[in-house]
Amino acid sequence: MKQLIIVTGLSGSGKSIALRALEDSGYYCIDNLPATMLPSLSDHLTTVHHHLVAISIDSRSAAIESLPDNIALLKSQNVDTRVLYLESNVETLVKRFSETRRKHPLSKDTTTLAESIAYERELLGNLGSLGHVIDTSNLSANTLRGWVKDVVSSEHAGLTLLFTSFGFKHGIPLDADFVFDVRCLPNPHYDPNLRELTGKDEQIKAYLEVHDSVQEMLSDIRAFVEKWLPCFIMDNRGYLTVAIGCTGGQHRSVYMVEQLSQYFQSQQKVLTRHRELK
């Protein structure tokens, strides 16, 4: 079966980087394909020797609103079609456009950059619900490339459970389906001997595991995910993203994500991300 990945999302969110990462992973890539050409893409795919194809579609494409119907058509034609939607917060997008001195593709003489970004977000509507969303806010290019490769290297059938740690002081991930706040738990940051470590280190694990509140919180989150996971599987979701946040995203949230990933990996495909760890 041919496999097609459609990369879309906000301008400046990293679509070109994602497409290059897919090319490095063996995909035949087509940049900025008009959405109107999607219905005829199935016939083209049968004539090429590439089984892995990736295309990018942006908000300037004609008939972008028809993308969901065209994706459904491709799937009915036995093309394994996946959507990768890249998102980012306004502050990051404004900074990127300012640094590169590029003009936003939807900008006009009468609109500001922030207004153009808001209009594009509205124009793309619910396209993120068609597939896997990656929030690229404050991500380096290397990190984004790694995340994209992780997504495409995972099994393509069924649901992938994605656990991500983050720091609230850097903002809540835009791609999270569920967000859990663990800032109420004991914080290793206040111990000078533990401050530079992370939730992956044995000393941090030992510090957190002796506190009943930590184990109770971990048990409650695990039970919640375990209870509702079957509903998302029945809904034919490709990914379910569970975000765990503490203050800086270095100790408590990392520990929680590591423990949850270890627990669920025996029963589900699992990906793990630590947004604030370099």
Side-chain angles (χ1 to χ4, degrees):
M1 177 185 291
K2 300 285 186 179
Q3 183 190 111
L4 171 67
I5 293 183
I6 299 173
V7 180
T8 187
L10 300 180
S11 301
S13 60
K15 295 192 295 295
S16 297
I17 295 173
L19 202 64
R20 287 196 294 270
L22 291 170
E23 188 172 36
D24 292 342
S25 297
Y27 284 76
Y28 175 73
C29 294
I30 305 171
D31 193 10
N32 202 20
L33 183 79
T36 51
M37 296 184 64
L38 268 180
S40 60
L41 189 61
S42 177
D43 294 334
H44 174 70
L45 290 178
T46 61
T47 64
V48 299
H49 299 293
H50 301 282
H51 292 279
L52 303 176
V53 178
I55 64 173
S56 68
I57 296 178
D58 67 23
S59 57
R60 295 169 296 179
S61 176
I64 188 70
E65 68 278 358
S66 67
L67 188 57
D69 291 336
N70 289 334
I71 290 174
L73 177 62
L74 286 171
K75 290 182 177 180
S76 70
Q77 295 172 341
N78 203 34
V79 178
D80 180 13
T81 307
R82 308 280 166 168
V83 177
L84 188 61
Y85 185 92
L86 302 188
E87 167 74 281
S88 192
N89 61 41
V90 175
E91 293 79 10
T92 299
L93 293 176
V94 168
K95 180 180 178 182
R96 289 172 181 170
F97 277 102
S98 298
E99 288 176 345
T100 60
R101 298 184 179 179
R102 289 173 51 216
K103 187 177 180 181
H104 192 280
L106 299 183
S107 65
K108 300 178 181 178
D109 294 336
T110 57
T111 59
T112 66
L113 176 56
E115 288 171 340
S116 299
I117 293 170
Y119 174 62
E120 184 178 42
R121 195 185 300 276
E122 179 182 353
L123 187 65
L124 295 177
N126 296 319
L127 292 185
S129 64
L130 299 176
H132 180 55
V133 180
I134 295 181
D135 176 10
T136 70
S137 304
N138 304 315
L139 286 188
S140 68
N142 281 337
T143 301
L144 176 56
R145 279 191 286 267
W147 285 15
V148 170
K149 291 179 180 180
D150 284 343
V151 168
V152 300
S153 65
S154 63
E155 294 293 331
H156 297 290
L159 180 144
T160 297
L161 186 55
L162 197 157
F163 290 103
T164 181
S165 67
F166 72 96
F168 273 96
K169 69 179 182 180
H170 301 296
I172 298 174
L174 299 174
D175 52 0
D177 295 299
F178 292 110
V179 176
F180 294 95
D181 184 350
V182 299
R183 286 176 293 182
C184 62
L185 301 178
N187 192 351
H189 173 80
Y190 296 110
D191 185 333
N193 296 319
L194 303 177
R195 185 170 299 166
E196 301 303 320
L197 302 177
T198 76
K200 291 184 174 184
D201 292 309
E202 293 300 325
Q203 298 96 314
I204 300 298
K205 295 178 186 178
Y207 174 92
L208 293 172
E209 286 173 353
V210 300
H211 294 279
D212 292 339
S213 58
V214 174
Q215 299 310 310
E216 289 176 12
M217 177 78 81
L218 178 61
S219 178
D220 287 345
I221 297 174
R222 185 170 57 211
F224 178 88
V225 175
E226 204 160 30
K227 177 180 179 179
W228 293 105
L229 183 59
C231 293
F232 288 92
I233 294 174
M234 291 178 62
D235 195 38
N236 295 318
R237 290 282 295 270
Y239 290 85
L240 179 66
T241 301
V242 179
I244 313 292
C246 60
T247 304
Q250 181 175 340
H251 299 118
R252 295 164 292 181
S253 60
V254 173
Y255 167 81
M256 287 289 194
V257 162
E258 289 292 316
Q259 296 303 308
L260 289 165
S261 298
Q262 183 178 355
Y263 178 82
F264 282 98
Q265 67 184 1
S266 62
Q267 51 186 294
Q268 199 69 35
K269 294 186 295 294
V270 171
L271 287 177
T272 303
R273 294 177 184 163
H274 299 296
R275 193 183 71 177
E276 318 305 352
L277 299 189
K278 306 303 181 184

